[in-house]
Structure formats: structure tokens, C-alpha cells
Amino acid sequence: MNPPRHYLQFKDFSAQEYDYLFERICRIKDRFKRYEPYRPLFDRSLVMIFEKASTRTRLSFEAGMQQLGGAAIYLNTRDSQLGRGEPVEDAAQVISRMTDIVMIRTFEQEIIERFAANSRVPVINGLTNEYHPCQILADIVTFIEHRGSIKGKTVAWIGDSNNMCNTWLQAAEVLDFNVHVSTPPGYEVEPERAGLYGTDNFEQFADPMDACRGADLVTTDVWTSMGFEAENEARMKAFADWQVDEDMMDVARSDALFMHCLPAHRGEEVSAGVIDGVHSVVWDEAENRLHAQKALLEFLLLGRVDD
Ligand code: CP
Ligand code: NVA
């Protein structure tokens, strides 16, 4: 049996595969908008394993799998044996004999890698401490829909060098665009943890205004990600000057987009004026999780499809 293809981090796919996927996502979205049934995954099942909370990821995978004709099964650590210490390798062996594809949201990237190494079926990263590739797939499709190719463009990342930031940085290497990162001191990007090949596609800025200057897209995320709640008080103080506000958007390009993976905290990482303002495409971004992941499920299970 050939080892399955997984999607554990953004760089698992090539630029050519992303070109295919971006077109495929638009095709699948267009069909959905025209209420045209499309059920290529009839009789296939997806298991979704959540060790952290979720609204968008669960809903988009569950609805997406159903729309493609398959079934989605929800497991969490609270009421499965995963929460009672069953080795992840054993769980992977069993789960992957009963289902066709797996999505996992967990803590360390190492957990999902161990699962994938023991899985007979494709495994998708639904967020780890290090990466959130499904979100960036949807974000880049959203950028393309509004502004065309992202190649050569500049993305400003303001705030924490978290799973979202790391994934933007990987995407910049794969798709050849630039990321301007501004984090508070002590929260800088760690290129090795981000899984980068080099530093050609990103630049760090002490002042978030400088990172936003001339940017085509400004984006941010919560100051305290899931799993880091114990640091919340220190983070609230450290990140106070890293709120994306109207002044930051004013120095970006006049047609700059604003994105946030959500959930957002107005008055913390973003002002209400920005997230609810004219630059913001956060609702398109959230919706595109559905279309992007349907194309991803189809690609991992059926390969390239041209209808
Ligand atoms: N953006 C995102 O992954 O949202 P959820 O945590 O609600 O899944
Ligand atoms: N960085 C956030 C993203 C949530 C979708 C977290 O990991 O909690």
C-alpha cells in the first residue's frame, strides 16, 4: 500500500498544486452557489478529532464533507479514549482502518506527525500550536478573489508569531510573496519553528506602522492562542501597541485588504473600525474555509479532477 498524502503544513504542497487547488476551490464554490449537487465523496467518511475548541473548522469540514456526499464524525478528547492516554500511534492505526480521511486539531505539531506516520489514510492539520494551513489556504483564495495573484505582493503580519504567522511565512516561500512581520519584543518569529527554508520572503519590523507601510494585505490574530491561556495577563501588556487600527490601515496601500482568521477580540488585536470597516474581508475569508476544504478533501481522496 502506497503511503497516503497528508496536509500537515503549508509547504506539503507545491506552487503547481496550489495553482490547481485555487482554481478547483473557485469551481467548487461556483457550483455550490448555483445549488448544483456535487457528491464525488459518496460513501467516504471523515473523522474530525478536536483537542481544542472550534466553530469554523468543525462546521466547514462537517458541512463540506456532507455536501460532497460523504459523512463526518466528530471526536474530542473529553469523551474518547484519546483523552485517557491511549497512545496516538494506536489511535491512528484504529481510526485509519475505519475511515477514509482524518482531520486533527491539537497542540504540538509533533502529535499530528506521529498520528500521520501511523495512519493508512490522509491526515489534515486543522490547527496545531505551530501551523494552521487550512486557514491560509482560504485566506489566499480570498486574496485572489479580491485582488488577483498574491505573487510578489506584501502581507503585513501584526502581533503574535503564532500558528497563523508561521503558516503565512511558509506560504510566502511556496508562492513567492513577502511578509512584513511586527511582533512585540520577546515574541519574534523563530524561523526553525516556522519551518522556513530561509529568510528571503520575510522582514521583521520593530514598529508595526513600518510593517504596514505599502502593504497589500494587513492581517493579525488573537494575542493569546489556545493552549497559551496561562500567559494571557503578560500578553495583554506586551501586545498593547500591536492593535491593527485605522492609523495602520492608512499607511498600507489605499486598496489594502484586512483579514483575521476569527474569532476576533475588538479593542485588542484589532479595532472595531478596522474589522467592521471598508478594508475588511473577514466574512468572505471565513466562508472560504468551506470551499477551500472541500477542494482539499477532494484532492487528497481523488487526486486531480477536471469536471
Ligand atoms: N479560524 C478558525 O480556525 O476558527 P475556529 O477556531 O472557530 O475553528
Ligand atoms: N492562533 C489562534 C487561531 C484560532 C483559530 C489559536 O491557535 O488559538
Side-chain angles (χ1 to χ4, degrees):
M1 195 165 60
N2 288 333
R5 191 85 194 270
H6 303 298
Y7 191 53
L8 305 183
Q9 45 186 312
F10 198 89
K11 67 182 182 188
D12 286 347
F13 292 167
S14 67
Q16 291 71 32
E17 287 171 325
Y18 280 112
D19 282 345
Y20 164 78
L21 272 174
F22 296 147
E23 277 193 19
R24 196 67 199 151
I25 292 165
C26 296
R27 172 87 179 104
I28 284 175
K29 179 171 181 174
D30 178 60
R31 257 191 177 128
F32 178 75
K33 296 286 178 188
R34 286 188 285 111
Y35 299 98
E36 192 185 302
Y38 179 59
R39 304 201 177 98
L41 301 186
F42 172 73
D43 225 16
R44 307 286 184 108
S45 48
L46 162 75
V47 63
M48 307 178 295
I49 302 170
F50 283 94
E51 297 207 79
K52 292 175 177 171
S54 169
T55 297
R56 280 144 287 267
T57 304
R58 176 176 178 182
L59 181 59
S60 51
F61 270 106
E62 192 163 337
M65 194 63 188
Q66 199 177 327
Q67 289 160 17
L68 292 171
I73 299 153
Y74 173 78
L75 285 184
N76 67 40
T77 28
R78 277 187 306 284
D79 50 36
S80 70
Q81 299 290 6
L82 283 161
R84 297 182 61 251
E86 181 167 14
V88 69
E89 290 80 2
D90 294 3
Q93 292 284 354
V94 174
I95 290 168
S96 70
R97 282 172 185 240
M98 296 186 187
T99 54
D100 300 287
I101 190 159
V102 179
M103 191 275 337
I104 307 181
R105 169 168 284 195
T106 187
F107 293 88
E108 289 79 26
Q109 181 72 9
E110 185 234 337
I111 299 172
I112 200 170
E113 281 168 5
R114 281 165 48 213
F115 192 105
N118 288 276
S119 173
R120 291 183 167 200
V121 302
V123 177
I124 298 172
N125 182 345
L127 181 147
T128 57
N129 289 352
E130 286 81 1
Y131 308 120
H132 197 3
C134 294
Q135 181 69 55
I136 301 301
L137 182 62
D139 291 6
I140 293 175
V141 166
T142 309
F143 186 90
I144 292 169
E145 283 180 337
H146 284 270
R147 297 285 180 265
S149 172
I150 198 163
K151 188 171 177 178
K153 296 288 196 308
T154 298
V155 175
W157 174 269
I158 308 302
D160 192 16
S161 61
N162 62 12
N163 41 16
M164 284 292 297
C165 175
N166 289 342
T167 311
W168 270 114
L169 291 168
Q170 279 198 4
E173 286 193 337
V174 177
L175 302 175
D176 196 18
F177 60 90
N178 309 302
V179 185
H180 288 178
V181 179
S182 181
T183 66
Y187 295 90
E188 290 90 355
V189 172
E190 297 170 50
E192 201 176 322
R193 182 171 154 88
L196 304 184
Y197 297 114
T199 51
D200 289 353
N201 295 79
F202 89 96
E203 206 176 327
Q204 306 215 51
F205 293 81
D207 183 342
M209 289 291 280
D210 292 335
C212 291
R213 226 172 285 287
D216 298 280
L217 164 64
V218 177
T219 184
T220 186
D221 186 14
V222 291
W223 290 341
T224 306
S225 286
M226 292 180 281
F228 296 83
E229 290 80 1
E231 301 174 14
N232 194 44
E233 213 180 299
R235 284 172 170 269
M236 290 298 129
K237 290 193 189 111
F239 283 79
D241 293 334
W242 274 261
Q243 177 184 108
V244 176
D245 59 12
E246 288 78 348
D247 291 343
M248 288 191 202
M249 293 309 300
D250 281 349
V251 297
R253 278 178 60 103
S254 57
D255 66 347
L257 300 177
F258 172 78
M259 291 191 196
H260 189 309
C261 65
L262 307 176
H265 299 78
R266 289 169 177 77
E268 291 182 19
E269 74 275 5
V270 61
S271 68
V274 169
I275 195 169
D276 300 319
V278 292
H279 297 279
S280 177
V281 290
V282 296
W283 312 128
D284 291 343
E285 185 188 357
E287 179 191 326
N288 281 336
R289 292 291 301 278
L290 173 71
H291 312 301
Q293 288 157 198
K294 284 168 76 175
L296 176 65
L297 289 164
E298 182 192 62
F299 182 61
L300 288 171
L301 285 169
L302 304 180
R304 290 185 189 233
V305 170
D306 64 4
D307 68 336

